Amino acid sequence: MDRPDPALRASVSMTAASLAQVWLRGLGSSELTARRRLFVFPHAGAGASAYRLAAYLPDTVEVCTVQLPGRENRFAEPALTSLDDAVAALAPLIADHTDLPYAFFGHSMGSLIAFETARRLRALGRRLPDRLFLSGMRAPGLPDREPRHTLPDDKLLATAEFDGVDAELQELLLPLLRADLTLCETYTHRAEAPLPCPLTVLAGSSDDSVDGSELADWHKHTSADFELHLFPGAPHLYVRGAERQLAEAITRTFPARG
């Protein structure tokens, strides 16, 4: 049998590395100092730059934020409308970068993608996250709430959280928001054994998109430790402006060293 050409192998490797850089912003940013890695999965309508957790974590934690198609530097690409497609793309890229102890943090839509990515990594027989931090999202498998992705543009805009964004930009971002909501609201949970990863579930105590019982129901999805942490008085998008407190909550159970 012919051996693969070394140049071809190098080319494939470079392509995979380039693809990982596109999907995982911040990958390699703390290459010399990192002892742990935190993969961040943003909420619907958001890009990687919406999260500034790296500024509040030491350089021993490399923060890699998922950049899905259709936003920021990937604006020209069509946004995904299937959670399965997002996971199929992300899981192999993350699997190639689990050389360090690592954790997932996802907010809202990001929680679902993080959770299903962890389950896909288990199916692939790859190293699993040390802990999942799942924020602002009810547990999978619960009865559906009223869908928003089918609303007319004007009604969908009225429900959107575009604080400080001018009307013209809101119109531009609306297709992205609809795609992300489609991804979430057409997701079908498939029963599997609980993950062996500990779960920390977080939310703002004033988040009207999820209630305490829906958050607590995440405990069914782990066979390890479970904890629920609420940020007093915080709304759904508490992540913006609460990065320091969030970083502290994360490092309490995912130490920056060791």
Side-chain angles (χ1 to χ4, degrees):
M1 182 180 294
D2 293 339
R3 294 184 179 179
D5 183 89
L8 178 60
R9 290 203 309 269
S11 175
V12 170
S13 176
M14 286 180 62
T15 301
S18 300
L19 192 60
Q21 292 287 345
V22 170
W23 283 81
L24 304 172
R25 291 277 296 276
L27 185 65
S29 59
S30 303
E31 185 175 359
L32 299 179
T33 58
R35 298 292 180 269
R36 292 175 180 265
R37 191 169 281 132
L38 179 69
F39 293 97
V40 176
F41 299 73
H43 60 274
S49 66
Y51 289 73
R52 299 184 300 118
L53 280 172
Y56 298 95
L57 291 166
D59 60 7
T60 51
V61 178
E62 182 174 86
V63 179
C64 304
T65 306
V66 170
Q67 185 75 297
L68 294 174
R71 63 214 75 212
E72 297 181 356
N73 64 317
R74 304 188 70 184
F75 187 77
E77 302 175 54
L80 299 176
T81 56
S82 163
L83 189 143
D84 285 344
D85 288 348
V87 169
L90 278 167
L93 299 177
I94 290 175
D96 287 341
H97 296 90
T98 58
D99 51 308
L100 299 175
Y102 74 101
F104 286 169
F105 169 77
H107 181 65
S108 198
M109 175 184 76
S111 292
L112 286 181
I113 300 177
F115 171 68
E116 287 295 345
T117 299
R119 299 212 302 178
R120 180 66 62 89
L121 289 168
R122 176 174 62 181
L124 294 172
R126 307 305 290 266
R127 180 178 183 171
L128 294 180
D130 285 14
R131 182 173 286 267
L132 272 64
F133 297 91
L134 305 174
S135 170
M137 174 57 75
R138 62 199 182 94
L142 295 177
D144 291 338
R145 292 193 172 195
E146 284 294 318
R148 296 166 56 201
H149 74 277
T150 55
L151 290 174
D153 285 357
D154 57 340
K155 292 186 177 179
L156 181 56
L157 268 176
T159 71
E161 299 184 63
F162 285 141
D163 295 340
V165 177
D166 65 58
E168 185 176 345
L169 185 54
Q170 287 185 30
E171 293 284 352
L172 194 62
L173 292 174
L174 192 61
L176 171 61
L177 178 61
R178 190 182 296 282
D180 284 354
L181 290 174
T182 302
L183 182 151
C184 293
E185 294 172 354
T186 59
Y187 160 69
T188 300
H189 173 66
R190 294 177 288 268
E192 292 183 12
L195 285 167
C197 315
L199 299 189
T200 296
V201 173
L202 311 111
S205 65
S206 296
D207 185 347
D208 59 8
S209 72
V210 64
D211 63 37
S213 64
E214 292 173 321
L215 294 168
D217 208 64
W218 276 106
H219 83 275
K220 298 176 182 177
H221 298 283
T222 178
S223 59
D225 294 340
F226 174 84
E227 68 171 38
L228 175 59
H229 179 83
L230 298 180
F231 293 85
H236 179 61
L237 289 182
Y238 75 91
V239 178
R240 297 175 179 172
E243 289 93 343
R244 185 183 300 280
Q245 298 95 309
L246 183 55
E248 290 171 355
I250 289 172
T251 55
R252 183 166 50 83
T253 47
F254 183 62
R257 299 183 182 279

